[in-house]
Amino acid sequence: EAQMMESGGGLVQPGGSLRLSCVAPGITFTSHWMHWVRQVPGKGLVWVSRINSDGSSAHYADSVKGRFTVSRDNARNTLYLQMDSLRVEDTALYYCTRARDGSRNAMDVWGQGTMVTVSS
Amino acid sequence: QSVLTQPPSTSGTPGQSVIISCSGSSSNIGSNTVNWYQQVPGMAPKLLIYRNDQRPSGVPDRFSGSKSGASASLAISGLRSEDEADYYCAAWDDSLGGLFGGGTKLTVL
């Protein structure tokens, strides 16, 4: 089954930064909207951000606006999430997802996630 | 408290049918399409229904979705043990952006 592959998670102190990456080996990427979704283990899904196919438009959840930046490199089939001014409440498993062809928000391909832990 | 409201849990016996509701408002479900996701514990979510009532290839027709006004529903017929999972509705909100419901845990008794 096709899957995204996230990396870049880890342990960081409050106020610190991390950059998540997501590659799509063998998966059509360039014409699709892409999203980041996070989940605290044992809790529900929370949408974080989305970016359109050419990277010219991005949207963010209010909780991360001004701190997180989504970007993409279509030549490398790679999606990024730059996370600055991290807070304890940003601790979660971060999923990279692809919206299906013709849709902006129906996420048909997911990764296994990368864990971000913000703690002193 | 999620903007999209789902019951926290539901249950059924094998062969039965269950319906999971998702209630929103005019700025999300009322004006945008609804998607449903299934998440088996320990696994990544899987798209189950998109555009209110469309099934991706490979999703059994036991799963169906519907939408009316600012509410949506996911129906599962002929319950099977492998349907035991968490189910999430999702919709775009014109002000808030992407939204997920709080999730409904389905137990197959």
Side-chain angles (χ1 to χ4, degrees):
Chain A
E1 191 172 310
Q3 223 175 26
M4 315 301 296
M5 289 174 50
E6 303 93 340
S7 62
L11 175 63
V12 62
Q13 290 189 336
S17 298
L18 276 178
R19 188 196 199 199
L20 306 185
S21 299
C22 170
V23 295
I27 298 169
T28 306
F29 177 86
T30 56
S31 61
H32 294 256
W33 288 66
M34 299 293 295
H35 295 249
W36 288 97
V37 174
R38 68 187 183 185
Q39 184 175 36
V40 174
K43 303 295 186 184
L45 301 172
V46 176
W47 176 80
V48 174
S49 179
R50 79 174 183 183
I51 188 169
N52 68 345
S53 57
D54 66 7
S56 62
S57 176
H59 301 91
Y60 301 92
D62 285 345
S63 59
V64 307
K65 204 171 291 183
R67 301 187 298 120
F68 290 11
T69 304
V70 62
S71 62
R72 63 192 295 163
D73 183 341
N74 284 345
R76 290 186 165 84
N77 258 28
T78 303
L79 178 72
Y80 302 101
L81 185 67
Q82 177 67 40
M83 304 188 297
D84 299 319
S85 302
L86 281 162
R87 304 169 180 168
V88 170
E89 54 264 34
D90 295 320
T91 295
L93 184 66
Y94 283 73
Y95 290 106
C96 161
T97 78
R98 186 193 80 169
R100 60 175 285 130
D101 202 16
S103 169
R104 296 185 179 185
N105 302 309
M107 304 171 207
D108 67 343
V109 181
W110 294 66
Q112 287 303 307
T114 186
M115 188 68 200
V116 171
T117 303
V118 185
S119 174
S120 54
Chain B
Q1 191 81 355
S2 301
V3 174
L4 301 183
T5 302
Q6 298 180 235
S9 64
T10 190
S11 63
T13 56
Q16 273 190 331
S17 297
V18 296
I19 295 177
I20 298 172
S21 62
C22 177
S23 177
S25 67
S26 58
S27 63
N28 42 70
I29 294 177
S31 54
N32 296 293
T33 58
V34 177
N35 305 310
W36 288 90
Y37 299 88
Q38 176 193 58
Q39 186 178 30
V40 174
M43 303 292 288
K46 170 189 170 183
L47 180 65
L48 208 57
I49 297 288
Y50 68 98
R51 209 169 288 158
N52 304 325
D53 57 9
Q54 301 298 301
R55 276 187 309 276
S57 61
V59 173
D61 59 7
R62 303 185 296 105
F63 295 91
S64 62
S66 64
K67 181 183 120 170
S68 177
S71 294
S73 295
L74 172 71
I76 310 172
S77 62
L79 265 182
R80 304 175 67 156
S81 58
E82 58 261 37
D83 297 334
E84 189 159 291
D86 295 321
Y87 293 84
Y88 296 89
C89 62
W92 187 258
D93 185 280
D94 296 334
S95 298
L96 300 173
L99 295 176
F100 285 96
T104 299
K105 181 178 180 61
L106 170 62
T107 301
V108 181
L109 302 169

